[in-house]
């Protein structure tokens, strides 16, 4: 099948997208958008028996309304099972979005983000099912996966049971901008947090009797920066990035102190480390741990006692990278060639569901379908790229190896 022979109903594809953009479903609250997707799939001919939810939400450590939505389409020709994935949730800034079409774009009313990330993917997967069924296109067995809580920690993809993927040999994840851009890898991330317990004293009368948790934290971050662990990290044995995101009090939700005349007795600090190599992300986090240990030794009260410093770190998601000879990458490049598009191969500095799907044993490429200026009130969808993404999806589902 070539580009010219992809029987895509563009008006229907845009109608699906407009519909899904108008359904609220911020991260963790995906029940309504999941219901809308289920209804749309049934209307295009997918039997209700092929649509189900897993129980990933029972394993996700934060409240989540529903599990991942999984749809199985039986093959109409032999071949290994393909997986197409995207995520149902949007960032909270998309709450109340009112999509409208302006020429070759879909925009919001300017008061919210739009949700093209990744409702373009949600619509594309429904369009894929509709196109295959309506036109009776030959295809191998296909699983459609709509994950939850991608925007708040890739939880749906992380907590799914790989057995629910039906033995898929490759995955096409839809969560990008341009159809020409093939995301073939992404960094991994390690999170760290530290609790500093100092000692309160009157800052004016007897500051020397206190142990300032604020000072310990400030010195530690300064030490980490001096040693090259803050921000962009480039070392002889690896590279990556890091950031300190929260410097606060209990749970990070309140100020570390509540008065200027009291030496701060507690601070909570949380940050992240990213790298293409999991071991180096761990090393960046360890750089922070060493910095906090040094700062602990530098801040003491009049009796020589230091603060208590409790530092913990844990992986958030693993890195991955596919070679250009990986079957899913070759399949995407072939499909783009049929569309007359030259592929660009990219490595993402942010995590994707693809990180976990690859970890689950399904090599995953991420394709684009028009989302732009995501997570901002200036967000919009490029309809020409959305159309290209839909055609790319159909081709990847139907071309012969």
């Amino acid at each position: 099948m070539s580009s010219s022979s992809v029987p895509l109903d563009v008006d229907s594809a845009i109608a699906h997208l407009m519909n899904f953009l108008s359904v609220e479903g911020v991260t963790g609250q995906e029940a309504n958008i999941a219901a809308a997707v289920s209804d749309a799939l049934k209307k295009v001919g997918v039997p209700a028996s092929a649509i189900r939810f897993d129980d990933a939400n029972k394993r996700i450590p934060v409240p989540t309304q529903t599990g991942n939505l999984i749809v199985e389409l039986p093959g109409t020709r032999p071949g290994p099972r393909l997986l197409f994935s995207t995520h149902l949730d949007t960032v909270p800034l998309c709450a109340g979005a009112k999509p409208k079409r302006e020429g070759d774009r879909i925009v919001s009313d300017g008061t919210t983000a739009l949700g093209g990330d990744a409702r373009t993917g949600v619509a594309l997967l429904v369009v894929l099912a509709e196109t295959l069924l309506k036109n009776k296109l030959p295809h191998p067995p296909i699983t459609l996966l709509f994950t939850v809580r991608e925007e708040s920690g890739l939880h749906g993809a992380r907590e799914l049971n790989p057995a629910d993927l039906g033995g898929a040999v490759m995955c096409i994840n839809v969560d990008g901008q341009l159809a020409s851009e093939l995301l073939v890898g992404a960094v991994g991330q390690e999170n760290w947090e530290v609790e500093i317990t100092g000692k309160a004293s009157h800052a004016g009368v007897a500051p020397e009797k206190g142990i300032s948790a604020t000072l310990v934290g400030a010195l530690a971050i300064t030490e980490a920066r001096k040693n090259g662990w803050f921000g962009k990290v480039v070392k002889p044995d690896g590279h990556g990035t890091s950031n300190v995101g929260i410097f606060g009090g209990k749970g990070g939700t309140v100020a570390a102190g509540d008065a200027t005349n009291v030496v701060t007795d507690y601070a909570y600090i949380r940050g992240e480390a990213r790298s293409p190599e999991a071991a180096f992300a761990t090393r960046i986090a360890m750089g922070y741990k060493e910095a906090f240990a040094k700062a602990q030794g530098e801040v003491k009260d009049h009796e020589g006692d230091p603060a208590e410093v409790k530092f913990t770190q844990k992986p958030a998601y693993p890195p991955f990278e596919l070679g250009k000879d990986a079957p899913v990458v070759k399949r995407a490049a072939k499909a783009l060639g049929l569309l007359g598009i030259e592929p660009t191969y990219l490595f993402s500095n942010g995590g994707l569901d693809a990180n976990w799907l690859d970890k689950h044993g399904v090599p995953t490429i991420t394709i684009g379908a028009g989302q732009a200026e995501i997570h901002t009130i200036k967000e919009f969808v490029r309809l020409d790229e959305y159309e290209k993404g839909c055609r790319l999806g159909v081709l990847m589902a139907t071309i012969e190896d």
Side-chain angles (χ1 to χ4, degrees):
M1 183 183 294
S2 65
S3 168
S4 60
S5 62
V6 176
L8 182 69
D9 184 336
V10 177
D11 289 339
S12 177
I14 294 173
H16 283 303
L17 178 56
M18 289 291 286
N19 176 37
F20 296 140
L21 287 170
S22 68
V23 179
E24 190 167 312
V26 300
T27 190
Q29 300 172 32
E30 296 92 349
N32 286 342
I33 182 62
V37 171
S38 297
D39 288 345
L41 287 167
K42 293 171 190 174
K43 288 178 181 176
V44 302
V46 177
S49 59
I51 304 169
R52 62 188 171 87
F53 290 90
D54 71 4
D55 61 351
N57 56 317
K58 294 181 180 179
R59 295 184 292 278
I60 294 173
V62 284
T64 307
Q65 287 180 341
T66 183
N68 300 308
L69 176 61
I70 300 173
V71 182
E72 293 184 352
L73 305 177
T76 59
R77 67 168 171 81
R81 180 174 292 275
L82 303 178
L83 175 66
F84 285 80
S85 69
T86 193
H87 62 89
L88 288 169
D89 60 320
T90 64
V91 294
L93 189 59
C94 297
K98 297 178 176 60
K100 59 181 180 179
R101 182 168 178 176
E102 290 186 352
D104 61 353
R105 294 183 174 188
I106 299 175
V107 300
S108 74
D109 64 1
T111 63
T112 71
L114 180 62
D117 174 19
R119 297 298 167 77
T120 49
V122 172
L124 190 154
L125 265 58
V126 172
V127 169
L128 173 62
E130 179 179 40
T131 305
L132 295 178
L133 293 170
K134 181 179 178 181
N135 298 282
K136 296 181 172 58
L137 300 179
H139 62 84
I142 290 174
T143 296
L144 307 178
L145 170 67
F146 302 82
T147 65
V148 295
R149 274 205 180 273
E150 189 269 357
E151 296 288 8
S152 50
L154 311 178
H155 287 294
R158 177 175 187 160
E159 298 298 343
L160 67 78
N161 181 348
D164 283 329
L165 302 180
V169 298
M170 65 178 70
C171 176
I172 299 90
N173 180 48
V174 189
D175 192 11
Q177 298 188 41
L178 305 181
S180 61
E181 294 177 344
L182 303 179
L183 288 165
V184 296
V187 295
Q189 179 173 315
E190 183 139 338
N191 294 333
W192 59 263
E193 60 182 39
V194 61
E195 291 186 278
I196 306 168
T197 304
K199 187 171 73 172
S201 69
H202 195 291
V205 176
E208 73 282 359
K209 293 183 179 180
I211 306 172
S212 173
T214 304
L215 182 57
V216 174
L219 288 173
I221 295 169
T222 302
E223 178 72 10
R225 181 180 181 275
K226 184 178 75 174
N227 292 333
W229 298 116
F230 187 91
K232 186 176 182 179
V233 180
V234 179
K235 299 283 187 179
D237 57 336
H239 65 92
T241 62
S242 79
N243 187 51
V244 177
I246 294 174
F247 194 139
K250 300 291 184 181
T253 59
V254 296
D258 56 8
T260 61
N261 65 348
V262 179
V263 174
T264 310
D265 65 350
Y266 179 88
Y268 171 85
I269 304 173
R270 188 163 76 208
E272 65 165 48
R274 303 186 188 201
S275 174
E277 301 293 333
F280 194 72
T282 300
R283 181 66 192 96
I284 295 173
M286 287 296 297
Y288 278 89
K289 182 177 183 179
E290 293 160 4
F292 278 98
K294 182 176 181 181
Q296 179 184 24
E298 294 179 358
V299 182
K300 300 178 180 179
D301 66 9
H302 67 301
E303 296 179 335
D305 292 329
E308 178 185 341
V309 175
K310 181 182 178 183
F311 187 98
T312 57
Q313 63 192 89
K314 61 181 180 180
Y317 51 82
F320 80 102
E321 185 169 13
L322 304 176
K324 290 184 181 179
D325 59 344
V328 70
V329 179
K330 292 169 68 174
R331 190 179 189 91
K334 181 177 180 180
L336 282 175
L338 292 171
L339 291 171
I341 298 173
E342 185 71 23
T344 302
Y345 301 94
L346 301 179
F347 186 90
S348 175
N349 286 321
L352 303 158
D353 276 347
N355 290 66
W356 281 111
L357 295 171
D358 184 82
K359 180 73 171 179
H360 291 321
V362 187
T364 302
I365 196 167
T366 298
I367 65 173
Q371 63 187 45
E373 299 286 350
I374 64 171
H375 301 186
T376 75
I377 61 173
K378 296 180 180 178
E379 185 183 6
F380 64 95
V381 171
R382 297 183 176 95
L383 288 174
D384 59 338
E385 290 297 327
Y386 171 63
E387 180 181 340
K388 290 176 188 175
C390 289
R391 294 185 186 279
L392 177 59
V394 173
L395 285 170
M396 290 195 72
T398 55
I399 58 175
E400 301 276 0
D401 291 327

